[in-house]
Structures are given as structure tokens and as C-alpha cells.
Amino acid sequence: EPEVTQTPSHQVTQMGQEVILRCVPISNHLYFYWYRQILGQKVEFLVSFYNNEISEKSEIFDDQFSVERPDGSNFTLKIRSTKLEDSAMYFCASRPRTGERDEQFFGPGTRLTVL
Amino acid sequence: DQQVKQNSPSLSVQEGRISILNCDYTNSMFDYFLWYKKYPAEGPTFLISISSIKDKNEDGRFTVFLNKSAKHLSLHIVPSQPGDSAVYFCALSKTGANNLFFGTGTRLTVIP
């Protein structure tokens, strides 16, 4: 069964460093998402991406964040200058179709630890 | 953000009995409702959904009920099985948007 994959599973970085989290969505899906979950808190929406551009973003997704689909398979989240409060699980998700309220399929997550 | 709440952080149920997980929301713009299950070290896995035009949707052992007037959503699992032990999240989306608003989760433990 197709699944969303994410790499790395765990990323440790120093405050102020740039990180890139990688995702491979399910191949025929059209919508792509990033969510994060800070330890003990809710899963929070960051950004959605469709047709090679951001379709929605939350207040969390500020200028430090960017997303890219550099080729036909990868979907990346970049944090330019990490802060301690960026430590969280980051989940990528994808959805197959437009115009319908399909469920989103989530990857296993990347645990980001900022020291 | 208090738009979506799951007031029970944990629930223990005997194998074979019914598990009832609850979710409350405040914003009447939500019109599509989903339940996800999450095991440790995995991402959320979709279980079942319901749109605002329905009040019940059933899929095998899982049934979701929606009470729009009370802004309340529930998931019933019957019979409960030990493999159902996980964290359950309700997730809601609004008209015209497709990002999901998650609840805080309820940890279900099914006791053999």
C-alpha cells in the first residue's frame, strides 16, 4: 500500500542553523501539507501546497519557513534559522484529489530537536 | 486555539466492550469531521469521516456520530480490541479550506 515517507526520522540541530525536512508524498496525490506537534500539544497546521504554490498557511508559518517541491516526488520544509521553540514532531501529509473532502495521509514524522 | 477539544485525555475499556471517544468544537464553520488513530513513532492514520450533512457514518466496528446543534462529535468502537489501543484525534476542517484542526487526543487503552 502506498505511503507517505519522511526523512530523517530524527534531526538534531543547533539554534540558528538551517534544517530541511524531506517528504515523499503518495505519487498520485495533488495536495501536500506540513503539520507539527510540539510535545504535549496539539497537531498544528503549518502550510498546504497545491499546483506548485502555497494554498494556505497558518500564523506559525512565518518568514523563517519555506516549502518546495523541487522535483516530481519530494516535498521539503525548510527552517532558515531554527529556534528552541521549533523543537517538535513535523508531519507531512498528502491528499489525492481536488474538489472533494478526502482524508489526508500522514507520514511517520520527523522529530526535530533544536539545542 | 480552543476551537477543538477532546476533554478526556485517557480512556480505559475492557476488551469486547464499547469505547466512546468525544470531541467538541466551537466554530460552526467546521463542516467535515475526521477521526485519526496514532501509534507511537507513527503518523496519524485515518479511521473514519463524516460530513455536516449527515449525523452518522459507520464502517465496520467504527461509527462516528455528529450532533451539529451541540457541536459534538463522537467515535464509537465496538467491540473494542487490544489492537485499538492508541491515541485518537478528532480533526475538523472548515468550508473552503482543507487544512485540519486537531483535538488534543484521547489515549485509549483496551484491556484484554
Side-chain angles (χ1 to χ4, degrees), chain A residues 26-94:
Chain A
I26 296 172
S27 63
N28 61 345
H29 285 192
L30 300 177
Y31 271 96
F32 314 110
Y33 306 84
W34 284 101
Y35 291 81
R36 78 173 185 190
Q37 186 180 26
I38 295 172
L39 187 64
Q41 298 186 23
K42 292 183 179 184
V43 176
E44 301 172 289
F45 167 74
L46 293 178
V47 65
S48 62
F49 192 85
Y50 169 71
N51 201 25
N52 284 319
E53 61 182 22
I54 291 173
S55 52
E56 293 171 56
K57 60 181 181 179
S58 71
E59 292 177 353
I60 302 168
F61 194 88
D62 61 21
D63 292 344
Q64 291 299 314
F65 292 88
S66 62
V67 289
E68 193 177 34
R69 188 156 161 82
D71 52 42
S73 59
N74 290 285
F75 180 50
T76 62
L77 174 69
K78 181 193 290 186
I79 309 174
R80 286 192 186 80
S81 178
T82 50
K83 302 187 281 286
L84 295 176
E85 53 265 38
D86 293 327
S87 295
M89 281 292 290
Y90 287 81
F91 295 105
C92 173
S94 67

Side-chain angles (χ1 to χ4, degrees), chain B:
Chain B
D1 176 8
Q2 297 295 314
Q3 296 190 67
V4 185
K5 288 185 189 177
Q6 292 177 254
N7 289 319
S8 298
S10 62
L11 174 69
S12 290
V13 171
Q14 206 69 33
E15 181 179 3
R17 306 294 290 268
I18 185 170
S19 296
I20 300 176
L21 299 109
N22 295 303
C23 177
D24 295 291
Y25 60 97
T26 57
N27 193 324
S28 58
M29 292 293 289
F30 288 125
D31 68 344
Y32 192 63
F33 308 87
L34 305 92
W35 283 96
Y36 282 84
K37 176 171 73 173
K38 186 180 181 304
Y39 294 117
E42 295 184 13
T45 302
F46 170 76
L47 274 176
I48 192 168
S49 63
I50 188 169
S51 73
S52 59
I53 62 173
K54 295 184 176 181
D55 55 18
K56 177 182 174 181
N57 188 26
E58 192 171 349
D59 184 3
R61 296 186 297 115
F62 301 93
T63 303
V64 56
F65 294 91
L66 175 63
N67 183 334
K68 288 190 293 294
S69 60
K71 295 188 177 67
H72 179 80
L73 180 70
S74 64
L75 174 69
H76 293 207
I77 306 172
V78 57
S80 301
Q81 298 173 354
D84 296 330
S85 297
V87 179
Y88 288 78
F89 294 95
C90 59
L92 285 59
S93 70
K94 297 178 181 177
T95 306
N98 55 63
N99 57 296
L100 296 175
F101 291 79
F102 280 81
T104 46
T106 297
R107 181 177 301 279
L108 173 66
T109 302
V110 180
I111 304 163

Side-chain angles (χ1 to χ4, degrees), chain A residues 94-109:
Chain A
S94 67
R95 183 165 76 85
R97 293 185 289 269
T98 60
E100 296 187 34
R101 310 298 288 277
D102 297 291
E103 66 270 19
Q104 297 176 20
F105 293 78
F106 284 79

